[in-house]
Amino acid sequence: MSTEQPGGDGEKRAPEPTGVDLARVALRAAKEQARARGDAARQKKQARGGGLRSGARADGRDPLALGAAINRLINERGWEAPAAVGGVMGRWPQIVGDDLAKHCVPQRYDEDERVLSVLCDSTAWATQLRLLAPTLVARLNEDLGHGTVRMIKVNGPGGPARRYGPLRAPGSRGPGDTYG
């Protein structure tokens, strides 16, 4: 499935929301419309009563607390899943346990593929995590919402850089020493 437009300009579009995500978007839009209707009615009532006045009661012009502003931004932009996965990365030891958390660290989350990449410090722990992956995916989806994580990609430690090969002469400095 390609997300490129048929025009061939190579620009990628965001995937269309489906299922639960589509319901969240529709609910958010309905809440915003209801809030806008309520604000319009309140402003109309205030205009009849002598214009907009400042008062002791909260209205739409009051400043928001930082946490409320961030939550509002997350909800408006539809960033609930990435924010939840970011929270998982912060709570990784509580989710997987201290022993596994000491040796395996989440690296990144691919929202399009719904894949969580995890780096392990040894091949033994990478194998252990691969065996625990289905249980861990179920636990993450229970915590984050169904379908948020489809798969865990386990990466083991990288090997040392390969310096010598069958076509390399000992003591050479690479292709630069051939030409001067």
Side-chain angles (χ1 to χ4, degrees), residues 2-126:
S2 176
T3 57
E4 289 189 20
Q5 295 178 353
D9 56 355
E11 183 177 318
K12 290 190 174 188
R13 295 185 308 182
E16 294 294 322
T18 59
V20 175
D21 295 331
L22 188 60
R24 284 184 186 141
V25 169
L27 178 63
R28 190 177 310 121
K31 284 182 177 179
E32 289 296 323
Q33 289 173 355
R35 188 176 299 123
R37 282 193 306 266
D39 288 345
R42 188 179 312 116
Q43 287 177 355
K44 193 176 198 181
K45 182 179 175 185
Q46 286 177 347
R48 274 186 277 149
L52 293 174
R53 291 186 289 243
S54 178
R57 294 196 180 117
D59 63 5
R61 299 175 294 158
D62 290 339
L64 291 175
L66 181 61
I70 290 173
N71 287 337
R72 182 175 172 187
L73 180 66
I74 288 172
N75 290 333
E76 286 175 356
R77 303 288 173 130
W79 293 339
E80 291 94 354
V85 171
V88 163
M89 291 187 180
R91 294 181 293 123
W92 184 252
Q94 290 86 18
I95 293 171
V96 299
D98 290 332
D99 290 338
L100 197 59
K102 288 178 188 174
H103 301 282
C104 302
V105 180
Q107 292 293 308
R108 65 184 189 93
Y109 174 70
D110 185 1
E111 187 177 357
D112 296 332
E113 299 290 326
R114 298 180 186 235
V115 175
L116 178 67
S117 297
V118 179
L119 178 66
C120 297
D121 62 0
S122 71
T123 55
W125 283 103

